[in-house]
Amino acid sequence: MGIVFSKVAFAYYRPRKKQSVRFVLEDIDLNIETTNEFIALVGHTGSGKSTLVQMMNALLLPTEGKLELLGKTVTPTLKLKPIREKIGLVFQFPEYQVFEETVAKEIAFGPKNFGMKDLEQRAKEAAEVMGITGLLDRSPFTLSGGQLRKVAIASILATNPDVLILDEPTVGLDPLGKDDLLKFLKNLNEAMNKTIIVITHDMEVASKYAKRIIVLNQGRIVYNGDKKTLFAMDDLLEKYNLNYPNSVKILRQMEAKFGVGLDVNQHSVSDAYAEIVKKFGETDEQ
Ligand SMILES: Nc1ncnc2c1ncn2[C@@H]1O[C@H](COP(=O)(O)OP(=O)(O)OP(=O)(O)O)[C@@H](O)[C@H]1O
Ligand SMILES: [Mg+2]
């Protein structure tokens, strides 16, 4: 009952001659649960990440193959509201998503559309979470890119979906805002069992927060699994030109220099530090 892609391909245009179709996604087999997942979707620019997530709330329909959302096969006649209420998507370019005259109305638009009650309260709470209560009376069209992104995220939070998909949510946020947002998403995942799917170019984000990483390359999934395995796959990372997280990089360099048997696969600064203390502490005591 999650998000299930079976042999899905997608093309933006379908010309008359079938052989000239340019698929931007091909051979997609993917299974995502609606609870407890924290997935980072990574891959080069143009690899198909935004296209893939737009299929996850049926904004785009498969050209080939089968897509099931919440147990229902996606067809052009499928009722989409119940799906979009449960699977919320924040676009890569939030300006495409904005059309109300105040931020408060903008945030309340989703809940209103889904027939929810307590619109003002919902908008206020979501704005508080995103630290934008001061903007509620402003026109969204006067906001900066980062502020607008926060509004777009708040508008999804206000509908309280089971699955939150965020297309490059940290772009335009300052480092503190970025960290706060990711910690908030982590908490939604851990305390409320929400599924979080984040598109990011930032391997730090992927390594620190995600439980599962999906790598797209030229429209195909080339890795789908846990991060420990991915960051140990030197060939794959090199082949697709993906960065190691900084914590892994520094530990690899230290291991190359000192050869003390560091477990280089640490995905946060604090874990890397603990590993260094562990090994160098042991060395000191000998
Ligand atoms: N509306 C569209 N019409 C036609 N082609 C499109 C459209 N949107 C995207 N594409 C093409 O589809 C391919 C995948 O694009 P997509 O935006 O999904 O990539 P992405 O991985 O999200 O890239 P980025 O990291 O730059 O956001 C690209 O070749 C892109 O040019
Ligand atoms: Mg994109």
Side-chain angles (χ1 to χ4, degrees):
M1 275 279 287
I3 299 173
V4 184
F5 289 77
S6 312
K7 294 269 165 283
V8 166
F10 179 81
Y12 278 98
Y13 304 106
R14 197 207 274 268
R16 284 208 192 108
K17 278 196 222 143
K18 194 158 191 240
Q19 58 271 34
S20 59
V21 175
R22 191 177 86 86
F23 287 106
V24 297
L25 289 172
E26 275 186 281
D27 211 15
I28 302 292
D29 284 313
L30 183 59
N31 206 326
I32 296 174
E33 304 288 335
T34 48
T35 52
N36 280 323
E37 298 235 40
F38 199 133
I39 297 175
L41 178 56
V42 305
H44 277 241
T45 182
S47 57
K49 304 180 295 299
S50 296
T51 306
L52 184 64
V53 297
Q54 286 177 65
M55 300 183 90
M56 293 181 190
N57 82 346
L59 272 170
L60 301 174
L61 309 188
T63 311
E64 290 180 3
K66 181 170 156 189
L67 170 61
E68 286 167 276
L69 298 176
L70 311 177
K72 301 218 161 61
T73 301
V74 176
T75 60
T77 54
L78 179 68
K79 283 208 179 84
L80 298 176
K81 245 188 192 178
I83 290 172
R84 298 208 176 130
E85 191 179 341
K86 299 280 178 227
I87 304 177
L89 168 66
V90 182
F91 286 95
Q92 181 168 9
F93 303 105
E95 50 274 30
Y96 294 172
Q97 213 164 1
V98 165
F99 37 91
E100 292 285 342
E101 66 208 44
T102 65
V103 167
K105 281 189 187 163
E106 185 61 50
I107 299 175
F109 176 83
K112 189 175 162 197
N113 190 31
F114 295 126
M116 296 171 174
K117 298 209 170 69
D118 308 321
L119 299 179
E120 256 181 57
Q121 189 58 24
R122 279 177 180 267
K124 217 175 122 220
E125 280 174 19
E128 263 166 32
V129 166
M130 295 309 298
I132 52 169
T133 38
L135 303 179
L136 282 170
D137 296 328
R138 293 264 299 270
S139 158
F141 298 99
T142 65
L143 303 181
S144 74
Q147 288 171 325
L148 204 51
R149 189 166 296 277
K150 288 185 176 181
V151 172
I153 296 168
S155 70
I156 296 297
L157 294 179
T159 65
N160 194 25
D162 296 339
V163 179
L164 286 93
I165 307 172
L166 302 104
D167 194 344
E168 306 206 28
T170 55
V171 171
L173 301 188
D174 48 55
L176 267 183
K178 176 172 148 178
D179 236 32
D180 281 351
L181 173 62
L182 288 162
K183 280 186 193 141
F184 174 74
L185 294 174
K186 186 167 185 249
N187 187 51
L188 277 184
N189 173 250
E190 286 172 0
M192 301 177 72
N193 303 328
K194 303 271 185 199
T195 281
I196 311 288
I197 303 168
V198 173
I199 293 183
T200 182
H201 282 271
D202 188 341
M203 289 308 254
E204 298 304 315
V205 170
S207 69
K208 194 164 165 195
Y209 293 97
K211 296 173 179 166
R212 161 148 76 128
I213 298 185
I214 296 170
V215 182
L216 265 183
N217 184 63
Q218 296 185 356
R220 289 172 185 269
I221 293 174
V222 293
Y223 182 83
N224 175 9
D226 66 274
K227 54 192 175 186
K228 214 176 168 76
T229 311
L230 176 66
F231 293 128
M233 292 171 82
D234 296 3
D235 294 356
L236 190 134
L237 289 168
E238 198 174 319
K239 185 166 171 199
Y240 299 118
N241 208 7
L242 296 168
N243 246 329
Y244 293 99
N246 285 332
S247 53
V248 175
K249 267 191 217 158
I250 184 107
L251 289 177
R252 288 172 83 97
Q253 284 175 10
M254 288 183 74
E255 181 56 22
K257 186 159 173 65
F258 301 111
V260 290
L262 286 162
D263 176 357
V264 299
N265 221 329
Q266 308 296 334
H267 305 132
S268 69
V269 171
S270 52
D271 287 348
Y273 178 71
E275 179 65 16
I276 290 167
V277 168
K278 196 167 118 198
K279 281 294 175 316
F280 283 86
E282 279 170 10
T283 314
D284 272 347
E285 282 158 19
Q286 283 166 5

